[in-house]
PDB file of all heavy atoms in Angstrom:
ATOM      1  N   ILE A   7     -67.654  -2.346  27.343  1.00  0.00           N
ATOM      2  CA  ILE A   7     -67.488  -3.440  26.392  1.00  0.00           C
ATOM      3  C   ILE A   7     -68.321  -3.175  25.136  1.00  0.00           C
ATOM      4  O   ILE A   7     -67.858  -3.339  24.006  1.00  0.00           O
ATOM      5  CB  ILE A   7     -67.888  -4.786  27.030  1.00  0.00           C
ATOM      6  CG1 ILE A   7     -66.878  -5.187  28.109  1.00  0.00           C
ATOM      7  CG2 ILE A   7     -68.005  -5.874  25.968  1.00  0.00           C
ATOM      8  CD1 ILE A   7     -65.508  -5.537  27.585  1.00  0.00           C
ATOM      9  N   LEU A   8     -69.559  -2.741  25.327  1.00  0.00           N
ATOM     10  CA  LEU A   8     -70.424  -2.446  24.186  1.00  0.00           C
ATOM     11  C   LEU A   8     -69.873  -1.289  23.364  1.00  0.00           C
ATOM     12  O   LEU A   8     -69.976  -1.285  22.135  1.00  0.00           O
ATOM     13  CB  LEU A   8     -71.844  -2.135  24.656  1.00  0.00           C
ATOM     14  CG  LEU A   8     -72.658  -3.338  25.131  1.00  0.00           C
ATOM     15  CD1 LEU A   8     -73.988  -2.891  25.730  1.00  0.00           C
ATOM     16  CD2 LEU A   8     -72.907  -4.312  23.991  1.00  0.00           C
ATOM     17  N   LEU A  11     -67.215  -2.622  21.145  1.00  0.00           N
ATOM     18  CA  LEU A  11     -67.758  -3.430  20.055  1.00  0.00           C
ATOM     19  C   LEU A  11     -68.256  -2.553  18.909  1.00  0.00           C
ATOM     20  O   LEU A  11     -68.265  -2.955  17.754  1.00  0.00           O
ATOM     21  CB  LEU A  11     -68.931  -4.283  20.558  1.00  0.00           C
ATOM     22  CG  LEU A  11     -68.598  -5.535  21.358  1.00  0.00           C
ATOM     23  CD1 LEU A  11     -69.871  -6.172  21.879  1.00  0.00           C
ATOM     24  CD2 LEU A  11     -67.846  -6.537  20.498  1.00  0.00           C
ATOM     25  N   PRO A  13     -71.412  -1.642  18.164  1.00  0.00           N
ATOM     26  CA  PRO A  13     -72.492  -2.309  17.423  1.00  0.00           C
ATOM     27  C   PRO A  13     -73.358  -1.303  16.678  1.00  0.00           C
ATOM     28  O   PRO A  13     -73.677  -0.226  17.174  1.00  0.00           O
ATOM     29  CB  PRO A  13     -73.297  -3.009  18.530  1.00  0.00           C
ATOM     30  CG  PRO A  13     -73.050  -2.185  19.748  1.00  0.00           C
ATOM     31  CD  PRO A  13     -71.649  -1.658  19.608  1.00  0.00           C
ATOM     32  N   LEU A  34     -73.623 -15.074  10.155  1.00  0.00           N
ATOM     33  CA  LEU A  34     -73.414 -14.549  11.498  1.00  0.00           C
ATOM     34  C   LEU A  34     -72.030 -13.960  11.736  1.00  0.00           C
ATOM     35  O   LEU A  34     -71.817 -13.298  12.744  1.00  0.00           O
ATOM     36  CB  LEU A  34     -73.658 -15.662  12.538  1.00  0.00           C
ATOM     37  CG  LEU A  34     -75.062 -16.284  12.531  1.00  0.00           C
ATOM     38  CD1 LEU A  34     -75.144 -17.397  13.573  1.00  0.00           C
ATOM     39  CD2 LEU A  34     -76.119 -15.233  12.800  1.00  0.00           C
ATOM     40  N   ALA A  35     -71.084 -14.208  10.849  1.00  0.00           N
ATOM     41  CA  ALA A  35     -69.717 -13.731  11.065  1.00  0.00           C
ATOM     42  C   ALA A  35     -69.691 -12.205  11.185  1.00  0.00           C
ATOM     43  O   ALA A  35     -70.211 -11.491  10.324  1.00  0.00           O
ATOM     44  CB  ALA A  35     -68.819 -14.180   9.918  1.00  0.00           C
ATOM     45  N   GLY A  36     -69.075 -11.711  12.276  1.00  0.00           N
ATOM     46  CA  GLY A  36     -68.986 -10.272  12.486  1.00  0.00           C
ATOM     47  C   GLY A  36     -70.301  -9.618  12.843  1.00  0.00           C
ATOM     48  O   GLY A  36     -70.441  -8.401  12.741  1.00  0.00           O
ATOM     49  N   ARG A  37     -71.263 -10.432  13.266  1.00  0.00           N
ATOM     50  CA  ARG A  37     -72.592  -9.899  13.577  1.00  0.00           C
ATOM     51  C   ARG A  37     -73.105 -10.464  14.890  1.00  0.00           C
ATOM     52  O   ARG A  37     -72.665 -11.517  15.345  1.00  0.00           O
ATOM     53  CB  ARG A  37     -73.587 -10.259  12.474  1.00  0.00           C
ATOM     54  CG  ARG A  37     -73.259  -9.643  11.126  1.00  0.00           C
ATOM     55  CD  ARG A  37     -74.115 -10.235  10.035  1.00  0.00           C
ATOM     56  NE  ARG A  37     -73.882  -9.570   8.757  1.00  0.00           N
ATOM     57  CZ  ARG A  37     -74.360 -10.003   7.606  1.00  0.00           C
ATOM     58  NH1 ARG A  37     -75.089 -11.100   7.563  1.00  0.00           N
ATOM     59  NH2 ARG A  37     -74.111  -9.345   6.486  1.00  0.00           N
ATOM     60  N   ILE A  38     -74.029  -9.754  15.484  1.00  0.00           N
ATOM     61  CA  ILE A  38     -74.764 -10.226  16.649  1.00  0.00           C
ATOM     62  C   ILE A  38     -76.239 -10.227  16.275  1.00  0.00           C
ATOM     63  O   ILE A  38     -76.736  -9.240  15.730  1.00  0.00           O
ATOM     64  CB  ILE A  38     -74.556  -9.303  17.869  1.00  0.00           C
ATOM     65  CG1 ILE A  38     -73.078  -9.193  18.233  1.00  0.00           C
ATOM     66  CG2 ILE A  38     -75.351  -9.816  19.068  1.00  0.00           C
ATOM     67  CD1 ILE A  38     -72.794  -8.171  19.325  1.00  0.00           C
ATOM     68  N   VAL A  68     -79.720 -14.567  22.000  1.00  0.00           N
ATOM     69  CA  VAL A  68     -78.677 -13.734  21.385  1.00  0.00           C
ATOM     70  C   VAL A  68     -77.637 -14.669  20.786  1.00  0.00           C
ATOM     71  O   VAL A  68     -77.221 -15.646  21.415  1.00  0.00           O
ATOM     72  CB  VAL A  68     -78.001 -12.812  22.421  1.00  0.00           C
ATOM     73  CG1 VAL A  68     -76.978 -11.906  21.746  1.00  0.00           C
ATOM     74  CG2 VAL A  68     -79.037 -11.988  23.171  1.00  0.00           C
ATOM     75  N   LEU A  69     -77.217 -14.379  19.553  1.00  0.00           N
ATOM     76  CA  LEU A  69     -76.179 -15.144  18.865  1.00  0.00           C
ATOM     77  C   LEU A  69     -74.999 -14.207  18.623  1.00  0.00           C
ATOM     78  O   LEU A  69     -74.997 -13.450  17.656  1.00  0.00           O
ATOM     79  CB  LEU A  69     -76.709 -15.695  17.533  1.00  0.00           C
ATOM     80  CG  LEU A  69     -78.013 -16.508  17.607  1.00  0.00           C
ATOM     81  CD1 LEU A  69     -78.488 -16.879  16.203  1.00  0.00           C
ATOM     82  CD2 LEU A  69     -77.820 -17.762  18.455  1.00  0.00           C
ATOM     83  N   PRO A  70     -73.985 -14.224  19.515  1.00  0.00           N
ATOM     84  CA  PRO A  70     -72.904 -13.241  19.396  1.00  0.00           C
ATOM     85  C   PRO A  70     -71.585 -13.758  18.831  1.00  0.00           C
ATOM     86  O   PRO A  70     -70.687 -12.966  18.580  1.00  0.00           O
ATOM     87  CB  PRO A  70     -72.696 -12.834  20.855  1.00  0.00           C
ATOM     88  CG  PRO A  70     -72.986 -14.085  21.625  1.00  0.00           C
ATOM     89  CD  PRO A  70     -73.978 -14.895  20.817  1.00  0.00           C
ATOM     90  N   SER A  71     -71.439 -15.064  18.655  1.00  0.00           N
ATOM     91  CA  SER A  71     -70.107 -15.590  18.387  1.00  0.00           C
ATOM     92  C   SER A  71     -69.775 -15.758  16.915  1.00  0.00           C
ATOM     93  O   SER A  71     -68.621 -15.967  16.558  1.00  0.00           O
ATOM     94  CB  SER A  71     -69.947 -16.952  19.075  1.00  0.00           C
ATOM     95  OG  SER A  71     -70.710 -17.949  18.407  1.00  0.00           O
ATOM     96  N   GLY A  72     -70.765 -15.716  16.036  1.00  0.00           N
ATOM     97  CA  GLY A  72     -70.519 -15.930  14.626  1.00  0.00           C
ATOM     98  C   GLY A  72     -70.501 -17.385  14.215  1.00  0.00           C
ATOM     99  O   GLY A  72     -70.363 -17.696  13.028  1.00  0.00           O
ATOM    100  N   PHE A 116     -77.007  -6.899  14.287  1.00  0.00           N
ATOM    101  CA  PHE A 116     -76.009  -5.854  14.483  1.00  0.00           C
ATOM    102  C   PHE A 116     -74.724  -6.176  13.746  1.00  0.00           C
ATOM    103  O   PHE A 116     -74.245  -7.305  13.775  1.00  0.00           O
ATOM    104  CB  PHE A 116     -75.656  -5.714  15.971  1.00  0.00           C
ATOM    105  CG  PHE A 116     -76.802  -5.328  16.856  1.00  0.00           C
ATOM    106  CD1 PHE A 116     -77.660  -6.297  17.352  1.00  0.00           C
ATOM    107  CD2 PHE A 116     -77.032  -4.013  17.185  1.00  0.00           C
ATOM    108  CE1 PHE A 116     -78.710  -5.958  18.178  1.00  0.00           C
ATOM    109  CE2 PHE A 116     -78.081  -3.657  18.005  1.00  0.00           C
ATOM    110  CZ  PHE A 116     -78.931  -4.626  18.499  1.00  0.00           C
ATOM    111  N   GLU A 117     -74.172  -5.181  13.095  1.00  0.00           N
ATOM    112  CA  GLU A 117     -72.795  -5.248  12.636  1.00  0.00           C
ATOM    113  C   GLU A 117     -71.936  -4.727  13.783  1.00  0.00           C
ATOM    114  O   GLU A 117     -72.288  -3.741  14.437  1.00  0.00           O
ATOM    115  CB  GLU A 117     -72.582  -4.361  11.407  1.00  0.00           C
ATOM    116  CG  GLU A 117     -73.277  -4.839  10.152  1.00  0.00           C
ATOM    117  CD  GLU A 117     -72.489  -5.928   9.424  1.00  0.00           C
ATOM    118  OE1 GLU A 117     -71.455  -6.365   9.962  1.00  0.00           O
ATOM    119  OE2 GLU A 117     -72.931  -6.330   8.337  1.00  0.00           O
ATOM    120  N   VAL A 118     -70.804  -5.369  14.033  1.00  0.00           N
ATOM    121  CA  VAL A 118     -69.873  -4.855  15.034  1.00  0.00           C
ATOM    122  C   VAL A 118     -68.600  -4.439  14.312  1.00  0.00           C
ATOM    123  O   VAL A 118     -68.010  -5.210  13.561  1.00  0.00           O
ATOM    124  CB  VAL A 118     -69.583  -5.912  16.130  1.00  0.00           C
ATOM    125  CG1 VAL A 118     -70.786  -6.052  17.039  1.00  0.00           C
ATOM    126  CG2 VAL A 118     -69.227  -7.260  15.541  1.00  0.00           C
ATOM    127  N   SER A 119     -68.189  -3.200  14.521  1.00  0.00           N
ATOM    128  CA  SER A 119     -67.084  -2.646  13.752  1.00  0.00           C
ATOM    129  C   SER A 119     -65.843  -2.365  14.581  1.00  0.00           C
ATOM    130  O   SER A 119     -64.823  -1.943  14.043  1.00  0.00           O
ATOM    131  CB  SER A 119     -67.526  -1.340  13.071  1.00  0.00           C
ATOM    132  OG  SER A 119     -67.976  -0.405  14.039  1.00  0.00           O
ATOM    133  N   HIS A 122     -61.637  -4.710  18.262  1.00  0.00           N
ATOM    134  CA  HIS A 122     -61.527  -5.806  19.213  1.00  0.00           C
ATOM    135  C   HIS A 122     -62.787  -6.662  19.244  1.00  0.00           C
ATOM    136  O   HIS A 122     -62.966  -7.469  20.153  1.00  0.00           O
ATOM    137  CB  HIS A 122     -61.261  -5.254  20.615  1.00  0.00           C
ATOM    138  CG  HIS A 122     -60.147  -4.264  20.669  1.00  0.00           C
ATOM    139  ND1 HIS A 122     -58.842  -4.596  20.360  1.00  0.00           N
ATOM    140  CD2 HIS A 122     -60.129  -2.945  20.959  1.00  0.00           C
ATOM    141  CE1 HIS A 122     -58.080  -3.520  20.475  1.00  0.00           C
ATOM    142  NE2 HIS A 122     -58.837  -2.511  20.826  1.00  0.00           N
ATOM    143  N   ALA A 123     -63.639  -6.500  18.246  1.00  0.00           N
ATOM    144  CA  ALA A 123     -64.934  -7.189  18.271  1.00  0.00           C
ATOM    145  C   ALA A 123     -64.769  -8.698  18.395  1.00  0.00           C
ATOM    146  O   ALA A 123     -65.431  -9.336  19.220  1.00  0.00           O
ATOM    147  CB  ALA A 123     -65.739  -6.840  17.026  1.00  0.00           C
ATOM    148  N   ASP A 124     -63.892  -9.295  17.575  1.00  0.00           N
ATOM    149  CA  ASP A 124     -63.717 -10.746  17.616  1.00  0.00           C
ATOM    150  C   ASP A 124     -63.282 -11.212  18.998  1.00  0.00           C
ATOM    151  O   ASP A 124     -63.769 -12.212  19.524  1.00  0.00           O
ATOM    152  CB  ASP A 124     -62.694 -11.200  16.574  1.00  0.00           C
ATOM    153  CG  ASP A 124     -63.226 -11.095  15.158  1.00  0.00           C
ATOM    154  OD1 ASP A 124     -64.455 -10.945  15.005  1.00  0.00           O
ATOM    155  OD2 ASP A 124     -62.420 -11.159  14.214  1.00  0.00           O
ATOM    156  N   VAL A 125     -62.347 -10.483  19.587  1.00  0.00           N
ATOM    157  CA  VAL A 125     -61.843 -10.846  20.908  1.00  0.00           C
ATOM    158  C   VAL A 125     -62.934 -10.728  21.960  1.00  0.00           C
ATOM    159  O   VAL A 125     -63.130 -11.622  22.782  1.00  0.00           O
ATOM    160  CB  VAL A 125     -60.638  -9.956  21.281  1.00  0.00           C
ATOM    161  CG1 VAL A 125     -60.181 -10.231  22.707  1.00  0.00           C
ATOM    162  CG2 VAL A 125     -59.490 -10.184  20.318  1.00  0.00           C
ATOM    163  N   LEU A 126     -63.653  -9.620  21.939  1.00  0.00           N
ATOM    164  CA  LEU A 126     -64.687  -9.386  22.940  1.00  0.00           C
ATOM    165  C   LEU A 126     -65.846 -10.360  22.786  1.00  0.00           C
ATOM    166  O   LEU A 126     -66.406 -10.841  23.783  1.00  0.00           O
ATOM    167  CB  LEU A 126     -65.192  -7.943  22.850  1.00  0.00           C
ATOM    168  CG  LEU A 126     -64.155  -6.874  23.205  1.00  0.00           C
ATOM    169  CD1 LEU A 126     -64.688  -5.487  22.874  1.00  0.00           C
ATOM    170  CD2 LEU A 126     -63.772  -6.950  24.673  1.00  0.00           C
ATOM    171  N   LEU A 127     -66.223 -10.682  21.555  1.00  0.00           N
ATOM    172  CA  LEU A 127     -67.335 -11.608  21.353  1.00  0.00           C
ATOM    173  C   LEU A 127     -66.973 -13.014  21.809  1.00  0.00           C
ATOM    174  O   LEU A 127     -67.851 -13.784  22.177  1.00  0.00           O
ATOM    175  CB  LEU A 127     -67.766 -11.611  19.887  1.00  0.00           C
ATOM    176  CG  LEU A 127     -68.444 -10.326  19.394  1.00  0.00           C
ATOM    177  CD1 LEU A 127     -68.794 -10.438  17.927  1.00  0.00           C
ATOM    178  CD2 LEU A 127     -69.678 -10.002  20.223  1.00  0.00           C
ATOM    179  N   ARG A 128     -65.675 -13.328  21.784  1.00  0.00           N
ATOM    180  CA  ARG A 128     -65.274 -14.649  22.264  1.00  0.00           C
ATOM    181  C   ARG A 128     -65.430 -14.780  23.768  1.00  0.00           C
ATOM    182  O   ARG A 128     -65.343 -15.885  24.312  1.00  0.00           O
ATOM    183  CB  ARG A 128     -63.826 -14.954  21.857  1.00  0.00           C
ATOM    184  CG  ARG A 128     -63.668 -15.322  20.388  1.00  0.00           C
ATOM    185  CD  ARG A 128     -62.369 -16.094  20.145  1.00  0.00           C
ATOM    186  NE  ARG A 128     -61.188 -15.339  20.487  1.00  0.00           N
ATOM    187  CZ  ARG A 128     -60.564 -14.520  19.642  1.00  0.00           C
ATOM    188  NH1 ARG A 128     -61.044 -14.330  18.423  1.00  0.00           N
ATOM    189  NH2 ARG A 128     -59.475 -13.890  20.011  1.00  0.00           N
ATOM    190  N   THR A 129     -65.631 -13.672  24.478  1.00  0.00           N
ATOM    191  CA  THR A 129     -65.879 -13.766  25.911  1.00  0.00           C
ATOM    192  C   THR A 129     -67.334 -14.127  26.199  1.00  0.00           C
ATOM    193  O   THR A 129     -67.695 -14.342  27.357  1.00  0.00           O
ATOM    194  CB  THR A 129     -65.546 -12.428  26.619  1.00  0.00           C
ATOM    195  OG1 THR A 129     -66.508 -11.439  26.266  1.00  0.00           O
ATOM    196  CG2 THR A 129     -64.164 -11.949  26.244  1.00  0.00           C
ATOM    197  N   LEU A 130     -68.161 -14.180  25.172  1.00  0.00           N
ATOM    198  CA  LEU A 130     -69.567 -14.537  25.326  1.00  0.00           C
ATOM    199  C   LEU A 130     -69.795 -15.975  24.883  1.00  0.00           C
ATOM    200  O   LEU A 130     -69.082 -16.477  24.019  1.00  0.00           O
ATOM    201  CB  LEU A 130     -70.449 -13.609  24.482  1.00  0.00           C
ATOM    202  CG  LEU A 130     -70.503 -12.147  24.899  1.00  0.00           C
ATOM    203  CD1 LEU A 130     -71.199 -11.330  23.823  1.00  0.00           C
ATOM    204  CD2 LEU A 130     -71.250 -11.994  26.218  1.00  0.00           C
ATOM    205  N   PRO A 131     -70.790 -16.648  25.451  1.00  0.00           N
ATOM    206  CA  PRO A 131     -71.133 -17.975  24.937  1.00  0.00           C
ATOM    207  C   PRO A 131     -71.700 -17.851  23.531  1.00  0.00           C
ATOM    208  O   PRO A 131     -72.226 -16.796  23.161  1.00  0.00           O
ATOM    209  CB  PRO A 131     -72.190 -18.480  25.933  1.00  0.00           C
ATOM    210  CG  PRO A 131     -72.755 -17.250  26.545  1.00  0.00           C
ATOM    211  CD  PRO A 131     -71.645 -16.242  26.578  1.00  0.00           C
ATOM    212  N   PRO A 132     -71.621 -18.905  22.707  1.00  0.00           N
ATOM    213  CA  PRO A 132     -72.098 -18.812  21.328  1.00  0.00           C
ATOM    214  C   PRO A 132     -73.602 -18.626  21.211  1.00  0.00           C
ATOM    215  O   PRO A 132     -74.083 -18.078  20.223  1.00  0.00           O
ATOM    216  CB  PRO A 132     -71.641 -20.131  20.700  1.00  0.00           C
ATOM    217  CG  PRO A 132     -71.409 -21.044  21.854  1.00  0.00           C
ATOM    218  CD  PRO A 132     -70.967 -20.193  22.994  1.00  0.00           C
ATOM    219  N   ILE A 134     -76.879 -17.348  23.746  1.00  0.00           N
ATOM    220  CA  ILE A 134     -77.423 -16.893  25.031  1.00  0.00           C
ATOM    221  C   ILE A 134     -78.928 -17.080  24.967  1.00  0.00           C
ATOM    222  O   ILE A 134     -79.606 -16.445  24.152  1.00  0.00           O
ATOM    223  CB  ILE A 134     -77.072 -15.418  25.299  1.00  0.00           C
ATOM    224  CG1 ILE A 134     -75.548 -15.236  25.380  1.00  0.00           C
ATOM    225  CG2 ILE A 134     -77.725 -14.940  26.580  1.00  0.00           C
ATOM    226  CD1 ILE A 134     -75.120 -13.787  25.476  1.00  0.00           C
ATOM    227  N   LEU A 175     -80.023  -4.794  22.960  1.00  0.00           N
ATOM    228  CA  LEU A 175     -78.808  -5.576  23.120  1.00  0.00           C
ATOM    229  C   LEU A 175     -78.264  -5.460  24.546  1.00  0.00           C
ATOM    230  O   LEU A 175     -77.897  -6.469  25.167  1.00  0.00           O
ATOM    231  CB  LEU A 175     -77.750  -5.109  22.119  1.00  0.00           C
ATOM    232  CG  LEU A 175     -76.416  -5.852  22.158  1.00  0.00           C
ATOM    233  CD1 LEU A 175     -76.613  -7.337  21.900  1.00  0.00           C
ATOM    234  CD2 LEU A 175     -75.446  -5.255  21.136  1.00  0.00           C
ATOM    235  N   LEU A 179     -77.917  -8.595  27.327  1.00  0.00           N
ATOM    236  CA  LEU A 179     -76.675  -8.958  28.004  1.00  0.00           C
ATOM    237  C   LEU A 179     -76.802  -8.761  29.513  1.00  0.00           C
ATOM    238  O   LEU A 179     -76.230  -9.528  30.297  1.00  0.00           O
ATOM    239  CB  LEU A 179     -75.521  -8.136  27.441  1.00  0.00           C
ATOM    240  CG  LEU A 179     -75.205  -8.402  25.964  1.00  0.00           C
ATOM    241  CD1 LEU A 179     -74.068  -7.502  25.491  1.00  0.00           C
ATOM    242  CD2 LEU A 179     -74.862  -9.865  25.724  1.00  0.00           C
ATOM    243  N   PHE A 194     -68.002 -12.521  31.709  1.00  0.00           N
ATOM    244  CA  PHE A 194     -69.347 -12.368  32.249  1.00  0.00           C
ATOM    245  C   PHE A 194     -69.489 -13.053  33.594  1.00  0.00           C
ATOM    246  O   PHE A 194     -70.182 -12.565  34.487  1.00  0.00           O
ATOM    247  CB  PHE A 194     -70.386 -12.904  31.255  1.00  0.00           C
ATOM    248  CG  PHE A 194     -70.938 -11.851  30.349  1.00  0.00           C
ATOM    249  CD1 PHE A 194     -70.201 -11.409  29.261  1.00  0.00           C
ATOM    250  CD2 PHE A 194     -72.163 -11.268  30.586  1.00  0.00           C
ATOM    251  CE1 PHE A 194     -70.698 -10.420  28.433  1.00  0.00           C
ATOM    252  CE2 PHE A 194     -72.663 -10.278  29.769  1.00  0.00           C
ATOM    253  CZ  PHE A 194     -71.930  -9.852  28.678  1.00  0.00           C
ATOM    254  N   MET A 255     -56.263  -2.609  25.375  1.00  0.00           N
ATOM    255  CA  MET A 255     -57.395  -2.426  24.467  1.00  0.00           C
ATOM    256  C   MET A 255     -57.816  -0.964  24.423  1.00  0.00           C
ATOM    257  O   MET A 255     -58.108  -0.414  23.353  1.00  0.00           O
ATOM    258  CB  MET A 255     -58.565  -3.325  24.890  1.00  0.00           C
ATOM    259  CG  MET A 255     -58.245  -4.804  24.746  1.00  0.00           C
ATOM    260  SD  MET A 255     -59.574  -5.880  25.297  1.00  0.00           S
ATOM    261  CE  MET A 255     -60.558  -5.918  23.822  1.00  0.00           C
ATOM    262  N   LEU A 310     -58.693 -13.220  25.326  1.00  0.00           N
ATOM    263  CA  LEU A 310     -59.409 -13.126  26.583  1.00  0.00           C
ATOM    264  C   LEU A 310     -60.079 -14.461  26.862  1.00  0.00           C
ATOM    265  O   LEU A 310     -60.458 -15.173  25.945  1.00  0.00           O
ATOM    266  CB  LEU A 310     -60.488 -12.030  26.518  1.00  0.00           C
ATOM    267  CG  LEU A 310     -59.976 -10.594  26.409  1.00  0.00           C
ATOM    268  CD1 LEU A 310     -61.146  -9.662  26.261  1.00  0.00           C
ATOM    269  CD2 LEU A 310     -59.154 -10.222  27.619  1.00  0.00           C
ATOM    270  N   PRO A 311     -60.257 -14.823  28.142  1.00  0.00           N
ATOM    271  CA  PRO A 311     -60.941 -16.079  28.440  1.00  0.00           C
ATOM    272  C   PRO A 311     -62.376 -16.015  27.944  1.00  0.00           C
ATOM    273  O   PRO A 311     -63.009 -14.966  27.998  1.00  0.00           O
ATOM    274  CB  PRO A 311     -60.878 -16.167  29.972  1.00  0.00           C
ATOM    275  CG  PRO A 311     -60.673 -14.769  30.438  1.00  0.00           C
ATOM    276  CD  PRO A 311     -59.881 -14.085  29.363  1.00  0.00           C
ATOM    277  N   ARG A 312     -62.882 -17.139  27.493  1.00  0.00           N
ATOM    278  CA  ARG A 312     -64.196 -17.184  26.863  1.00  0.00           C
ATOM    279  C   ARG A 312     -65.179 -17.958  27.724  1.00  0.00           C
ATOM    280  O   ARG A 312     -64.874 -19.032  28.231  1.00  0.00           O
ATOM    281  CB  ARG A 312     -64.062 -17.868  25.498  1.00  0.00           C
ATOM    282  CG  ARG A 312     -65.347 -18.053  24.759  1.00  0.00           C
ATOM    283  CD  ARG A 312     -65.076 -18.898  23.519  1.00  0.00           C
ATOM    284  NE  ARG A 312     -66.310 -19.378  22.965  1.00  0.00           N
ATOM    285  CZ  ARG A 312     -66.987 -20.397  23.454  1.00  0.00           C
ATOM    286  NH1 ARG A 312     -66.553 -21.023  24.506  1.00  0.00           N
ATOM    287  NH2 ARG A 312     -68.105 -20.789  22.882  1.00  0.00           N
ATOM    288  N   ASP A 313     -66.374 -17.405  27.903  1.00  0.00           N
ATOM    289  CA  ASP A 313     -67.405 -18.100  28.648  1.00  0.00           C
ATOM    290  C   ASP A 313     -67.807 -19.362  27.903  1.00  0.00           C
ATOM    291  O   ASP A 313     -67.812 -19.401  26.680  1.00  0.00           O
ATOM    292  CB  ASP A 313     -68.667 -17.221  28.786  1.00  0.00           C
ATOM    293  CG  ASP A 313     -68.454 -16.107  29.793  1.00  0.00           C
ATOM    294  OD1 ASP A 313     -67.371 -16.051  30.386  1.00  0.00           O
ATOM    295  OD2 ASP A 313     -69.380 -15.299  29.956  1.00  0.00           O
TER     296      ASP A 313
END
Side-chain angles (χ1 to χ4, degrees):
I7 291 292
L8 286 173
L11 282 175
L34 300 178
R37 296 169 175 170
I38 302 173
V68 183
L69 307 175
S71 72
F116 299 85
E117 291 278 5
V118 287
S119 58
H122 310 297
D124 288 345
V125 175
L126 295 171
L127 291 179
R128 284 201 299 272
T129 70
L130 293 169
I134 298 173
L175 181 59
L179 296 178
F194 267 78
M255 294 178 85
L310 292 176
R312 177 187 166 282
D313 286 358

